[in-house]
Amino acid sequence: MAALALACGLALPSAATPASSPAPVETLVEQAMAHYRLPGIAVGVIEDGRIVQVVTRGEQAAGLGPPVDADTLFKIASNTKAMTGAVLARLVQAGTLRWEDPVTKHLPGFRMYDPWVTANLQVRDLLIHNSGLGLGAGDLMLWPEPNRFSRQDILAGLAHLKPVGSFRADYAYDNLLYVVAGEVAAAAAGKPYATLVREEIFQPLGLTRCQVGQWSAAAVGNIARPHYRQGARNIAVDADPDTVADFPSAAAGGVRCSINDMLRWMQVLLDPAQAPGWLDAAQRRALWTAHMPMPVGQRLRDWDNTHFHAYGYGWRLSDMDGQWKVAHTGTLSGMYSSLALLPDRRTGVVILINGEGEAARTALMQALLKRYTAPQEAGDVLHYAGLLEREAAQRRSAGQVRPVLAPPVVVTPAQVGADAGVWSDPWFGRVTLCPGEGGMLWVSDKSPAMRARLVQSGGRRWLQWLALGEDAEAWLEFSGAGTQRRMQLRAIDPDIDFSYDFQDLEFRRLGDCP
């Protein structure tokens, strides 16, 4: 790939040379803030079990304040998965359920597409991404938020999602089965998932600011707002209502915590003496056992000299410069999180960002961890940012980017003809493709943010979303005839977020426009 990039004459950004001694934490955080123009950030560092650094910068809402501090709540997104795993571990420890229980023991109506998988899927399988479903299958029932899908819709939808691989054969990250895991915990314990998280984690561990389920934003306060980028500006998404509603995907990514809470959570994970009896040795070991092998990507090989990569119960496990690493990331609605532990050193780092911070969290986490795993090689944030930018340039040279489209032209009702009407997908539900706003509108019944204008350029028709970014836009395609007529969506950008699982949709026409 690098040779191809150079052969094409690309001007690749130069990466700064690693420093002879690691930069101070504050310097690294400030580099990340400046280079990536973040609205706000909170970073915490633990060494040998002790909190040694808490650094906060920026604002809860860009341009509006107040400042981010150590008690500001952030969405931790998929770092919630480790808490869901811990709730189940607590129930296993109490004898309420077993990891080997069939899911149908606790949820008799549970169904997967394949009846054999339905019968054999165990509680443990819900946590390790081995179901045979494709990457992010069914995520359009979870995001974009808010939407009108319920947990029962999600459970019912799983029966219609076709596998793309064999059960327990391959790793493919999913979110829906974590929702199922939350429902298994609730059924086994006789309490809602949110109540279990509070009783099994927040209260016994002293995570005093963390929130899940329904809670009062007005009473809690000090809440970071998510942001999206518009050119060089960070635009704050609407603030929470006074009462935040419980939402179906909570077990996959619904917890909010402060940096102080996350540091306390990490201390307990690194040192059992911090919370005697909370989780016994067998269940701690279960959480961090390599249950499902994962591919070792080229970046892990190049940056960390990684030899193994696997998924535990809500955690990614690997080796970094010969040291054991336990980690996860989280991405949700304009917020990014990253948590990494080096258990043998009782050391860890956590990063919370309230903006578009994927590259920022990657570069900053790498710079912070290298201080412990290979200090003689540790670069600063700008060094790792340069490497990421070089990767992006190589993807562009290989054509792995959204194609440049001609200016779009609105498609008229006459051009759509008989394909206008009401369509339905077995798990996503009803959509309409009907006249509106001077053209044709594609509108989802249950996902209000998925509302698009039908346009065309270069002879192809595509959906120009009215509330989503252009990176989520999709080709609209029709095939078949008569009762076999189908409508499908295909991502335009090959690097689209996998949660836009358009490939899993297959709409059939129900009738004419209302």
Side-chain angles (χ1 to χ4, degrees):
M1 295 286 283
L4 175 61
L6 293 173
C8 292
L10 289 175
L12 298 178
S14 61
T17 303
S20 56
S21 60
V25 174
E26 293 90 341
T27 299
L28 297 175
V29 174
E30 287 163 3
Q31 282 182 338
M33 277 289 291
H35 187 76
Y36 291 105
R37 300 177 182 176
L38 303 176
I41 191 170
V43 176
V45 180
I46 292 173
E47 292 181 1
D48 194 24
R50 296 181 301 105
I51 299 170
V52 296
Q53 294 271 184
V54 178
V55 180
T56 61
R57 296 288 188 274
E59 298 172 293
Q60 295 172 26
L64 302 175
V68 169
D69 62 34
D71 286 321
T72 300
L73 289 185
F74 290 77
K75 295 179 181 180
I76 67 169
S78 283
N79 269 299
T80 299
K81 289 180 169 67
M83 294 187 178
T84 298
V87 166
L88 287 166
R90 287 271 290 173
L91 297 181
V92 171
Q93 180 172 284
T96 305
L97 56 74
R98 299 182 311 134
W99 292 117
E100 297 78 18
D101 283 347
V103 172
T104 52
K105 176 180 177 179
H106 303 284
L107 300 175
F110 173 76
R111 297 289 182 272
M112 296 288 282
Y113 187 84
D114 184 329
W116 190 90
V117 176
T118 299
N120 288 277
L121 197 82
Q122 298 176 352
V123 172
R124 63 186 300 276
D125 294 310
L126 298 172
L127 304 183
I128 57 177
H129 311 296
N130 69 350
S131 67
L133 291 175
L135 180 65
D139 274 3
L140 286 171
M141 288 188 283
L142 306 182
W143 301 291
E145 294 177 327
N147 64 44
R148 303 185 185 109
F149 288 96
S150 67
R151 288 187 177 94
Q152 288 308 309
D153 289 331
I154 292 167
L155 289 171
L158 277 161
H160 300 286
L161 286 165
K162 299 176 183 178
V164 298
S166 299
F167 179 40
R168 294 183 181 148
D170 297 298
Y171 170 89
Y173 192 85
D174 77 77
N175 288 293
L176 296 194
L177 292 181
Y178 266 82
V179 177
V180 178
E183 292 302 281
V184 166
K191 298 177 181 179
Y193 169 80
T195 300
L196 288 172
V197 176
R198 295 186 192 108
E199 292 182 355
E200 302 295 337
I201 298 179
F202 296 173
Q203 292 168 13
L205 303 187
L207 308 187
T208 58
R209 294 266 307 154
C210 287
Q211 303 294 329
V212 69
Q214 181 174 302
W215 51 283
S216 172
V220 170
N222 196 356
I223 303 166
R225 289 169 60 178
H227 295 71
Y228 68 91
R229 289 296 290 274
Q230 188 177 78
R233 297 176 59 216
N234 288 297
I235 308 298
V237 176
D238 293 340
D240 291 303
D242 285 351
T243 299
V244 177
D246 188 12
F247 61 99
S249 60
V255 169
R256 298 199 213 186
C257 289
S258 69
I259 201 74
N260 279 341
D261 290 320
M262 294 303 287
L263 287 166
R264 172 61 183 163
W265 168 237
M266 293 160 63
Q267 282 184 306
V268 172
L269 293 169
L270 290 167
D271 182 4
Q274 292 279 341
W278 175 70
L279 209 56
D280 63 29
Q283 296 312 315
R284 284 178 172 273
R285 187 164 54 250
L287 294 179
W288 290 353
T289 291
H291 296 289
M292 185 66 202
M294 296 172 63
V296 179
Q298 192 61 48
R299 186 190 297 166
L300 283 177
R301 296 180 192 276
D302 293 344
W303 288 22
D304 296 346
N305 192 30
T306 296
H307 296 83
F308 93 95
H309 198 199
Y311 209 87
Y313 291 154
W315 294 97
R316 298 183 183 113
L317 316 171
S318 64
D319 60 309
M320 180 177 184
D321 301 315
Q323 300 186 38
W324 182 27
K325 175 184 168 186
V326 177
H328 215 285
T329 55
T331 305
L332 179 63
S333 303
M335 285 201 182
Y336 285 75
S337 69
S338 185
L339 189 159
L341 305 172
L342 303 173
D344 291 338
R345 305 179 69 112
R346 297 200 308 166
T347 290
V349 176
V350 60
I351 300 168
L352 305 175
I353 298 171
N354 64 334
E356 295 187 11
E358 182 173 11
R361 75 177 173 197
T362 300
L364 179 56
M365 180 60 80
Q366 191 70 11
L368 290 169
L369 286 182
K370 280 287 187 181
R371 296 160 51 89
Y372 304 102
T373 64
Q376 71 283 0
E377 300 173 9
D380 61 11
V381 169
L382 300 181
H383 169 72
Y384 297 109
L387 296 179
L388 292 174
E389 288 154 14
R390 184 167 299 190
E391 285 182 18
Q394 291 168 356
R395 287 196 299 273
R396 287 194 297 272
S397 74
Q400 297 172 351
V401 294
R402 175 189 165 93
V404 177
L405 303 178
V409 177
V410 173
V411 175
T412 67
Q415 290 173 309
V416 175
D419 285 330
V422 180
W423 295 76
S424 182
D425 174 82
W427 60 269
F428 187 71
R430 256 179 39 128
V431 303
T432 55
L433 180 62
C434 294
E437 299 181 20
M440 296 295 295
L441 291 184
W442 190 99
V443 180
S444 165
D445 277 7
K446 288 193 172 183
S447 187
M450 295 191 68
R451 178 183 176 91
R453 181 180 294 108
L454 183 60
V455 298
Q456 63 184 356
S457 58
R460 295 191 70 178
R461 294 175 181 176
W462 46 286
L463 297 179
Q464 188 177 57
W465 302 113
L466 303 181
L468 304 176
E470 71 171 19
D471 57 338
E473 289 172 343
W475 303 116
L476 189 67
E477 301 173 348
F478 295 90
S479 61
T483 59
Q484 298 303 308
R485 190 67 166 163
R486 298 289 183 269
M487 178 174 70
Q488 294 177 295
L489 279 65
R490 305 290 182 209
I492 296 176
D493 188 341
D495 198 31
I496 193 170
D497 188 304
F498 66 75
S499 285
Y500 291 111
D501 60 315
F502 298 139
Q503 70 279 357
D504 294 317
L505 296 168
E506 187 171 287
F507 293 96
R508 299 188 183 199
R509 193 174 184 276
L510 297 182
D512 296 335
C513 291

